[in-house]
Amino acid sequence: MGTDDLRRHDTGSSEWKQSWLQEERCSFKGWDFSALSGRMEDDGLPWDYEAAVRTYMNNNEGALLDMGTGGGEFLLSLSPPPGRTYATEAYPPNVELCRKLFPPHGIELRQVFSDDSLPFEDHSMELIINRHEAFSIQEVKRILKPGGVFVTQQVGGRNNRTLSEFLLGDEAAPVDEAFNVEQVSDELRSSGFTIVQADEAFPLLKFKDVGALVYFAKIMEWEFPGFSVEKCYDRLCLLQEQLAKTGYIGSMEHRFYIIAIKA
């Protein structure tokens, strides 16, 4: 590489770093990834969580609970029945956001502090929906009415782990091999649920620029613990080189989906 090539490479690297640091400083509200629109995409999933939720909502005249509602974006998009829709959330900024958003829609928010203690009476819910939120099977069972339905889509234990290991080495988030559709389905059956549907997928997530990955990794701190541009700079530069060749940076996601009915 000649002197001019080295100079251009150094200048490019400096510009990359400044743009990545800017992405690292960006704020994030609710569970809104619109800042990454057009900058990342995935293969999609073989099931339709939203369609399943709408189907059970239309057949349900009892109380509905959305566990881990985030910023409430998904729940509000469903136009759920006022007066009998509830939501839980643990993250304080999202709690404050939803406390402002929900009352005009007749939705009651309850903050949670432990998966093992949900602030609801026994047998009070007809339908519980849960997308990407931790849960206790025993608590779900306790608050569901007999014949009540639990619809959940979960992030499996292998999600983004290869990319996390590439960036962080020994500090990467550990793989949880036991958190998968087979294991969770078995636990639900053992607790008295009937599994209506269960599926699992490993879609490819594609980042179209390294800055999008930086923004994503800072949000997903449980998958990329301790991530920073400074710490991972050399690895990010390698990914920038890969991007120039392939047009994207790939990461394997892990999702599973279960619909269960309480006996």
Side-chain angles (χ1 to χ4, degrees), residues 222-233:
W222 54 94
E223 292 187 348
F224 299 89
F227 170 86
S228 71
V229 170
E230 292 291 351
K231 178 188 290 187
C232 303
Y233 179 67

Side-chain angles (χ1 to χ4, degrees), residues 12 31 37-38 42 45 79 85 89 92 110 115 118 125 131 140 160 198 207 217 227 239 246 255:
W31 198 243
S37 178
D42 61 34
L45 297 169
S79 299
T85 298
E89 178 58 32
R110 298 188 183 179
D115 296 332
L118 297 179
M125 296 294 157
R131 184 168 67 171
V140 169
N160 292 321
F207 297 95
F227 170 86
L239 291 177
T246 64
R255 299 284 187 274

Side-chain angles (χ1 to χ4, degrees), residues 72-128:
E73 300 90 353
F74 177 72
L75 181 58
L76 290 173
S77 76
L78 299 171
S79 299
R84 54 186 177 91
T85 298
Y86 300 83
T88 60
E89 178 58 32
Y91 184 50
N94 285 344
V95 170
E96 293 306 310
L97 177 63
C98 290
R99 281 177 174 161
K100 298 174 183 176
L101 291 176
F102 283 172
H105 300 275
I107 301 171
E108 183 176 332
L109 177 74
R110 298 188 183 179
Q111 188 172 9
V112 293
F113 301 94
S114 169
D115 296 332
D116 297 319
S117 181
L118 297 179
F120 300 99
E121 298 294 326
D122 295 357
H123 316 307
S124 56
M125 296 294 157
E126 193 79 34
L127 173 62
I128 298 176

Side-chain angles (χ1 to χ4, degrees), residues 6-221:
L6 284 171
R7 187 178 296 113
R8 283 194 294 270
H9 178 77
D10 290 342
T11 301
S13 296
S14 177
E15 291 175 353
W16 295 339
K17 186 172 185 179
Q18 292 308 310
S19 69
W20 299 341
L21 287 169
Q22 186 174 353
E23 295 282 359
E24 187 178 57
R25 292 190 291 267
C26 286
S27 62
F28 183 72
K29 182 182 291 186
W31 198 243
D32 179 10
F33 284 88
S34 59
L36 297 181
S37 178
R39 301 173 65 195
M40 72 175 189
E41 62 182 30
D42 61 34
D43 292 339
L45 297 169
W47 59 82
D48 190 332
Y49 173 80
E50 180 178 344
V53 168
R54 289 186 181 276
T55 296
Y56 283 101
M57 277 180 59
N58 292 337
N59 296 325
N60 166 48
E61 296 182 354
L64 160 68
L65 169 63
D66 180 24
M67 295 181 66
T69 196
E73 300 90 353
F74 177 72
L75 181 58
L76 290 173
S77 76
L78 299 171
S79 299
R84 54 186 177 91
T85 298
Y86 300 83
T88 60
E89 178 58 32
Y91 184 50
N94 285 344
V95 170
E96 293 306 310
L97 177 63
C98 290
R99 281 177 174 161
K100 298 174 183 176
L101 291 176
F102 283 172
H105 300 275
I107 301 171
E108 183 176 332
L109 177 74
R110 298 188 183 179
Q111 188 172 9
V112 293
F113 301 94
S114 169
D115 296 332
D116 297 319
S117 181
L118 297 179
F120 300 99
E121 298 294 326
D122 295 357
H123 316 307
S124 56
M125 296 294 157
E126 193 79 34
L127 173 62
I128 298 176
I129 64 175
N130 176 316
R131 184 168 67 171
H132 305 172
E133 176 71 3
F135 64 94
S136 158
I137 291 176
Q138 292 307 312
E139 275 296 273
V140 169
K141 180 181 179 181
R142 180 184 67 79
I143 67 174
L144 263 181
K145 294 180 178 180
V149 180
F150 179 48
V151 182
T152 185
Q153 177 178 295
Q154 289 291 317
V155 178
R158 296 169 62 187
N159 195 66
N160 292 321
R161 290 311 193 261
T162 300
L163 183 57
S164 179
E165 290 171 0
F166 176 80
L167 288 169
L168 296 164
D170 293 339
E171 297 179 32
V175 174
D176 183 359
E177 296 287 1
F179 194 58
N180 57 56
V181 70
E182 182 178 1
Q183 179 71 24
V184 176
S185 294
D186 286 346
E187 291 174 3
L188 283 162
R189 289 190 191 96
S190 297
S191 297
F193 286 82
T194 298
I195 305 300
V196 175
Q197 188 175 349
D199 205 348
E200 189 168 40
F202 298 89
L204 178 65
L205 178 63
K206 296 179 180 179
F207 297 95
K208 300 299 184 65
D209 64 86
V210 176
L213 168 58
V214 169
Y215 183 92
F216 183 85
K218 285 300 292 185
I219 295 167
M220 301 295 187
E221 57 186 359

